[in-house]
Amino acid sequence: MTTLDMYCGHCGQEQADGSHEDCRRALMLEPPRYCAECRRRMVVQVHPMGWSARCSVHGDVSSDRR
Amino acid sequence: MSDILEVARKQVLEQGVGLCQEQLIEVLRSPDDQLADLLALAHEVRVQWCGEEVEVEGIISLKTGGCPEDCHFCSQSGQFTSPVRSVWLNIPELVEAAKETAKTGATEFCIVAAVRGPDQRLMSQVKAGIEAINAEVDINIACSLGMLTQEQVDELKALGVHRYNHNLESARSYFGDVVTTHSFEERWETCLMVKASGMELCCGGLVGMGETLEQRAELAAQLAELDPHEVPLNFLNPRPGTPFGGLEIMAGKDALRTIAAFRLAMPRTVLRYAGGRELTLGDLGTRDGLLGGINAVIVGNYLTTLGRPATADLDLLAELKMPVKELQKTL
Ligand code: SF4
Ligand SMILES: [Zn+2]
Ligand SMILES: [Zn+2]
């Protein structure tokens, strides 16, 4: 994830709002569920070796391009 | 060595007869200072009755989320406010996932759908998927599509599905605390139909959902009664938004005792590490379990959560000198 992320991919709250330490740990074992730019819930597909996620407004992210 | 371990050595290791529910309770209650002996015995039992090989499998979610059922551990139920959204995988992506899995040396690829049971759309997608995989990938195909009718059992069997997964989830006496939208008996019924069809039955459950030790032993005994070819053992990974989302992660030592107990209940089954082991056991515990009764792993990711890298498991198996089971070329 880039430092420009506004929202936490795990809980969907603002990054500026609290530490999200647990969220960052959780994201080591699960894909993000919320778009980092708009906090919409993304459509996420987990694959055996990775994952891909789509925000209806901001497009695709994946484990290759995180 | 304690009484129960001595009994288990004679009964399970030497004679191949699994422990009963009462005996399993004793195993699950055994103290921490006997854990190493317990795991060592369970490992001996595994090697004696199953051999040295470890079976490797990959899984994929064909249809994620939006399930009408209310299994309280599941982030894919449409009844909870889980952040998991509904999505279908397309056939090219399914084939790609099978290829990725086969590359790890896995012999099993399980296609999973979050449904109560399959409808026509799902059955035709599964059929198309199996045909596409068979055309390009050399791997056994398993399915997990919920509760089945006899016609669907026959159809899957005719499609060449090698193994069917349908878990009991929890002990009969705790089932109502975990699921209210269907019954333990309905699950049991599907398992019996699968077995009778000649497909291999894969049937396991989850532990760490607030059940008692006695109920954990009960689940193992009920699984032993079904006598599945494979038992996947999941440790609850509490998912946000689900009724079990606030539960504590199970203690590693309890998880290891459960692994050993399941092995002592079912000396000949393929006992697979399924979800939750990364959280409950970590790297060290994963190794202890492989030396404590486990003889199968899911490599790579799960359905909605991620596993540790496939290479970490494969390297560990190599280090432990446990050969990966190879694909049997059947007639
Ligand atoms: S039936 Fe399966 S997908 Fe549906 S809620 Fe239960 S465990 Fe989840
Ligand atoms: Zn967060
Ligand atoms: Zn967005």
Side-chain angles (χ1 to χ4, degrees):
Chain A
M1 264 187 254
T2 67
T3 46
L4 298 173
D5 291 349
M6 282 279 289
Y7 299 99
C8 171
H10 181 67
C11 71
Q13 303 300 308
E14 283 185 40
Q15 287 286 9
D17 200 2
S19 85
H20 300 276
E21 196 57 46
D22 291 348
C23 297
R24 265 192 291 279
R25 207 170 307 123
L27 285 173
M28 292 166 70
L29 285 175
E30 54 192 280
R33 295 282 164 191
Y34 297 91
C35 175
E37 291 183 60
C38 70
R39 71 176 286 188
R40 279 182 178 82
R41 275 195 311 152
M42 298 190 289
V43 172
V44 180
Q45 177 73 51
V46 174
H47 309 271
M49 305 303 149
W51 52 263
S52 54
R54 191 173 68 247
C55 168
S56 55
V57 175
H58 296 99
D60 294 349
V61 281
S62 74
S63 44
D64 307 332
R65 290 170 285 121
R66 204 171 170 179
Chain B
M1 198 181 275
S2 77
D3 287 353
I4 185 62
L5 290 194
E6 272 169 48
V7 171
R9 178 167 289 278
K10 290 212 175 67
Q11 181 181 327
V12 192
L13 182 63
E14 290 169 19
Q15 295 161 22
V17 178
L19 296 185
C20 70
Q21 193 170 326
E22 290 309 313
Q23 293 172 317
L24 293 169
I25 293 172
E26 278 189 66
V27 169
L28 291 171
R29 283 193 187 138
S30 63
D32 286 357
D33 62 14
Q34 277 173 19
L35 182 55
D37 288 344
L38 172 63
L39 293 171
L41 176 63
H43 182 59
E44 273 187 80
V45 167
R46 183 274 259 201
V47 172
Q48 171 71 20
W49 297 102
C50 303
E52 301 275 359
E53 290 183 330
V54 172
E55 193 185 88
V56 176
E57 177 189 55
I59 61 174
I60 185 77
S61 180
L62 177 63
K63 185 251 169 194
T64 306
C67 180
E69 303 306 289
D70 75 344
C71 310
H72 292 11
F73 55 84
C74 182
S75 66
Q76 302 200 63
S77 167
Q79 302 210 18
F80 315 136
T81 53
S82 150
V84 173
R85 286 185 63 184
S86 218
V87 60
W88 282 75
L89 190 72
N90 62 37
I91 302 288
E93 284 177 307
L94 181 69
V95 174
E96 192 50 42
K99 281 185 191 164
E100 284 179 0
T101 299
K103 261 190 230 155
T104 67
T107 50
E108 300 282 323
F109 180 65
C110 187
I111 302 170
V112 187
V115 291
R116 176 182 168 87
D119 58 10
Q120 206 42 57
R121 178 187 177 196
L122 180 60
M123 286 301 277
S124 39
Q125 189 78 350
V126 166
K127 182 169 187 287
I130 290 175
E131 283 165 2
I133 293 167
N134 281 336
E136 292 194 50
V137 193
D138 217 8
I139 199 159
N140 290 324
I141 298 174
C143 286
S144 180
L145 314 171
M147 290 178 280
L148 301 176
T149 63
Q150 185 60 55
E151 292 70 46
Q152 289 167 335
V153 170
D154 298 343
E155 208 176 326
L156 292 170
K157 166 83 180 154
L159 286 172
V161 172
H162 155 83
R163 195 177 287 175
Y164 192 81
N165 165 263
H166 197 54
N167 293 337
L168 291 183
E169 311 300 18
S170 194
R172 184 184 265 122
S173 70
Y174 194 60
F175 192 86
D177 293 270
V178 181
V179 187
T180 70
T181 48
H182 58 266
S183 67
F184 185 90
E185 282 65 32
E186 284 175 281
R187 285 195 166 260
W188 189 269
E189 202 45 47
T190 292
C191 292
L192 290 183
M193 282 192 284
V194 168
K195 268 198 90 165
S197 76
M199 281 188 282
E200 289 179 358
L201 173 65
C202 166
C203 180
L206 295 88
V207 290
M209 297 193 292
E211 75 282 353
T212 62
L213 288 191
E214 289 74 11
Q215 286 166 325
R216 231 167 258 168
E218 183 193 334
L219 171 62
Q222 284 159 353
L223 288 169
E225 188 186 334
L226 261 183
D227 189 23
H229 186 88
E230 173 190 336
V231 174
L233 182 56
N234 295 271
F235 306 104
L236 179 75
N237 174 353
R239 305 313 304 148
T242 64
F244 289 167
L247 292 184
E248 294 281 324
I249 291 170
M250 190 177 177
K253 285 181 177 154
D254 287 335
L256 291 170
R257 265 186 288 269
T258 307
I259 290 170
F262 272 51
R263 172 54 70 201
L264 296 179
M266 294 168 281
R268 293 173 188 79
T269 199
V270 174
L271 183 59
R272 190 181 304 280
Y273 263 143
R277 73 172 147 117
E278 288 79 3
L279 283 172
T280 306
L281 292 169
D283 291 347
L284 218 69
T286 291
R287 180 194 185 97
D288 292 342
L290 278 165
L291 291 166
I294 293 285
N295 68 333
V297 294
I298 290 175
V299 283
N301 296 328
Y302 301 105
L303 303 173
T304 63
T305 59
L306 311 179
R308 55 187 214 152
T311 47
D313 281 333
L314 297 172
D315 290 350
L316 177 58
L317 292 178
E319 187 198 322
L320 296 174
K321 301 198 166 46
M322 291 182 186
V324 172
K325 184 174 154 195
E326 288 179 19
L327 206 56
Q328 311 278 327
K329 300 278 184 251
T330 43
L331 302 172

